[in-house]
Amino acid sequence: MLKCRIIPILTFSGLALVKTKKFAGNARMVGNAVQAAKVFNSRNVDELAFLDIYASDQNRKINLQMVRSIINECFMPVAIGGGISTIKDIQDLLAIGADKVIIKSKIIKNPEFINEAANIFGNQCITLAIDAIKEGSDYFLYNRLGKTIPLVDFLNKIASFNFGEIILTSVNNDGMMSGFDIELVQLVEKLIKVPIVVSGGAGEPAHFKELFSKTNIEAVGAASIFYFTRYTSYDLKMAISSVGRPVRIINESFVPLN
Amino acid sequence: MKIAIIKYGMGNVSSVQKSLKKLGYDSIITDDHIEIRQADLIILPGVGSFQAGMENLQKSGLADFLTQEVVEKGKPFIGICLGMQLLATLGNEPCKCNGLGWIDGEVKKIKSKLRIPHLGWNNVQITDNKKDFYREFDNLDYYFIHSYHFVVRDSKDATLMVTYDFPMVAALQENNIYAMQFHPEKSQDAGMRLLKKIIDQYA
């Protein structure tokens, strides 16, 4: 059976690992990216995501040397995002060992880029970051490009494009540690037919129980819970397993002899 | 021993090399025929489309050369993900085209109501083939990411199966040719153990 994945999402400011609240600019510093990758690798997390969250705003490229150091610590799949706007950016990241790239700003400006990239690299490595912000009772696609885009319109428009996965983040719940936006997940899981990673709001194991019992998604992203609580991915897997969904538990470690 | 990881423009070769290094094996990433001939074992990784993969192998003359080394001369070989699919007689991504044809079968799109790609960790099951060798990997989780799957003509070629809606081939073996749909180099300890067991037979 396919297991539910838990994916730590490392957000990087250009200088250090940071954690935002509701995507606001005054992010809190939480440590060193390479160290964090090392710890998550030793805990056998299912996957890792790394996002340089201000790269597009600041119109700069991701630091490939640092990304390489992060990937070198990881023996699980790694997805990398931040400032990706050309085919060469994707090529550079895949060449140093990224398994997937995460794209956001570029596909808001030019959705066709999704297909262009998938035709070259295969759709399996093209992950879209979909950040949803709720205003009143309506969801919009969060962006810092000054555009007002209803979320459902955008998802309907890109649904037939050739990508392999989305990371769906609730901006309202980001960093608040008070639970996932279940209504948002239920809305999006009907519209998108590729795997969905849900993020924004994880604060305690009960939130994972709620998410995995009320929706059919198979993957979840989290950050604050790993920085600010005592819970590890193992605790969260136990919570997911308690509502009858399959998880991957590693009991023993294999140490190569040579 | 020396391992040649084939460079043909289809994705993630450095992760394979990183895993081999951790296991203590020397490897080179190369498309040079002389270097490949000198290697004791060949690994063909790869992600992306079947047709693009075949075109790249043919352009560089690697398709014929690898067939000579592996099928005719019997050099040990491991194909990973697209590197497994390319061994088939036929592929369909994006349209019908010939593969290397080392193992009889066709690579077809996964038809299912479940979410595609089949993406994430899934447990594999041993088959009746080469059971003794694969038994220790029975029920371990491996990392899969694919939208097409290898339909074998002779079920005796399948050594590990995986179920996502329906059973699919997770690994194949025919003599010196080993192949897996999942990514052992991304499957942490379970992947390392499998790679080590295969490679150590030839070390």
Side-chain angles (χ1 to χ4, degrees):
Chain A
M1 217 185 315
L2 188 69
K3 308 300 185 296
C4 296
R5 285 174 287 153
I6 295 186
I7 305 169
I9 298 180
L10 306 180
T11 44
F12 185 70
S13 67
L15 295 169
L17 275 193
V18 294
K19 186 63 207 102
T20 53
K21 278 186 179 176
K22 297 182 189 269
F23 280 37
N26 56 342
R28 177 167 164 189
M29 274 214 222
V30 289
N32 171 290
V34 179
Q35 279 302 325
K38 201 170 190 162
V39 170
F40 286 123
N41 181 66
S42 73
R43 288 185 182 164
N44 284 307
V45 297
D46 297 322
E47 229 175 287
L48 194 72
F50 175 86
L51 294 170
D52 187 336
I53 53 176
Y54 303 127
S56 289
D57 294 351
Q58 296 168 357
N59 203 15
R60 59 173 168 75
K61 296 295 176 196
I62 201 163
N63 179 340
L64 289 174
Q65 196 49 48
M66 198 198 47
V67 172
R68 190 197 301 264
S69 315
I70 292 169
I71 293 174
N72 275 341
E73 298 297 337
C74 296
F75 289 86
M76 69 290 205
V78 186
I80 308 283
I84 294 171
S85 62
T86 65
I87 292 297
K88 178 161 188 306
D89 294 338
I90 300 178
Q91 218 154 28
D92 289 344
L93 287 169
L94 298 181
I96 58 171
D99 297 281
K100 304 181 216 173
V101 294
I102 305 168
I103 316 177
K104 184 173 101 167
S105 300
K106 177 69 180 181
I107 57 143
I108 298 174
K109 291 183 207 156
N110 174 21
E112 281 299 329
F113 183 71
I114 301 170
N115 289 346
E116 198 187 317
N119 285 344
I120 298 171
F121 306 107
N123 67 3
Q124 81 292 328
C125 67
I126 308 297
T127 296
L128 309 186
I130 304 290
D131 299 330
I133 187 158
K134 193 175 190 178
E135 286 167 10
S137 58
D138 297 323
Y139 289 103
F140 294 89
L141 186 69
Y142 174 88
N143 64 83
R144 292 195 285 262
L145 304 165
K147 295 182 190 236
T148 304
I149 307 167
L151 180 68
V152 172
D153 291 359
F154 184 76
L155 293 180
N156 282 332
K157 181 165 143 194
I158 61 156
S160 60
F161 281 65
N162 197 11
F163 51 93
E165 184 179 45
I166 71 165
I167 299 180
L168 173 67
T169 303
S170 159
V171 175
N172 306 64
N173 293 21
D174 168 56
M176 303 312 287
M177 302 177 71
S178 55
F180 297 98
D181 184 341
I182 304 292
E183 187 195 335
L184 170 67
V185 179
Q186 288 170 337
L187 173 76
V188 174
E189 69 176 340
K190 284 196 245 107
L191 301 174
I192 296 293
K193 297 299 168 211
V194 299
I196 300 171
V197 181
V198 172
S199 94
E204 54 175 288
H207 298 150
F208 293 78
K209 289 188 192 178
E210 186 190 22
L211 178 67
F212 283 91
S213 55
K214 290 187 178 167
T215 75
N216 292 309
I217 60 115
E218 293 112 0
V220 63
S224 303
I225 193 168
F226 297 126
Y227 300 134
F228 309 132
T229 80
R230 64 191 163 84
Y231 299 115
T232 65
S233 63
Y234 177 81
D235 302 313
L236 307 180
K237 284 184 176 184
M238 286 296 141
I240 296 171
S241 167
S242 76
V243 296
R245 302 286 302 273
V247 291
R248 184 179 69 108
I249 302 287
I250 301 293
N251 296 319
E252 48 183 328
S253 224
F254 166 74
V255 182
L257 290 175
N258 42 357
Chain B
M1 77 183 298
K2 191 128 216 172
I3 299 172
I5 303 168
I6 305 297
K7 179 166 88 179
Y8 65 119
M10 298 306 287
N12 207 337
V13 286
S14 57
S15 307
V16 175
Q17 186 166 48
K18 184 174 66 176
S19 290
L20 294 176
K21 191 175 168 202
K22 187 156 185 191
L23 286 168
Y25 304 115
D26 264 345
S27 64
I28 43 168
I29 297 170
T30 180
D31 55 4
D32 180 83
H33 292 199
I34 295 166
E35 285 184 327
I36 297 170
R37 187 170 290 138
Q38 286 166 347
D40 305 295
L41 188 145
I42 295 170
I43 296 186
L44 183 66
V47 293
S49 103
F50 191 102
Q51 192 172 26
M54 271 319 286
E55 275 169 11
N56 285 3
L57 283 181
Q58 272 151 354
K59 244 189 323 212
S60 49
L62 280 167
D64 290 339
F65 178 70
L66 289 176
T67 304
Q68 222 174 64
E69 287 292 305
V70 178
V71 181
E72 288 160 32
K73 296 190 191 160
K75 184 166 282 185
F77 173 93
I78 303 174
I80 297 171
C81 197
L82 180 63
M84 160 168 130
Q85 298 189 344
L86 292 175
L87 309 186
T89 331
L90 276 178
N92 286 287
E93 184 187 6
C95 43
K96 204 153 233 154
C97 56
N98 288 329
L100 289 167
W102 300 356
I103 291 181
D104 239 354
E106 183 172 351
V107 177
K108 295 181 177 170
K109 194 160 191 138
I110 303 173
K111 286 205 176 104
S112 161
K113 284 196 201 75
L114 300 181
R115 294 182 183 279
I116 306 294
H118 171 221
L119 194 177
W121 297 80
N122 203 337
N123 54 309
V124 297
Q125 293 84 41
I126 50 171
T127 64
D128 286 336
N129 311 319
K130 313 214 165 55
K131 233 181 188 163
D132 289 336
F133 184 83
Y134 290 97
R135 184 168 286 120
E136 64 181 286
F137 308 104
D138 192 29
N139 217 25
L140 294 186
D141 289 311
Y142 287 94
Y143 188 80
F144 289 84
I145 177 163
H146 61 125
S147 305
Y148 288 76
H149 69 123
F150 197 127
V151 181
V152 280
R153 176 176 276 166
D154 183 353
S155 63
K156 282 198 169 58
D157 290 328
T159 50
L160 293 169
M161 300 296 286
V162 63
T163 301
Y164 187 60
D165 204 5
F166 56 90
M168 294 185 279
V169 172
L172 291 167
Q173 190 193 337
E174 209 177 78
N175 305 315
N176 56 316
I177 302 170
Y178 295 78
M180 46 225 74
Q181 179 59 64
F182 51 83
H183 287 274
E185 80 282 13
K186 290 285 159 183
S187 297
Q188 295 167 349
D189 296 353
M192 298 269 206
R193 270 169 62 185
L194 177 59
L195 284 175
K196 181 169 165 61
K197 186 159 183 186
I198 294 172
I199 296 168
D200 277 357
Q201 299 175 100
Y202 303 100

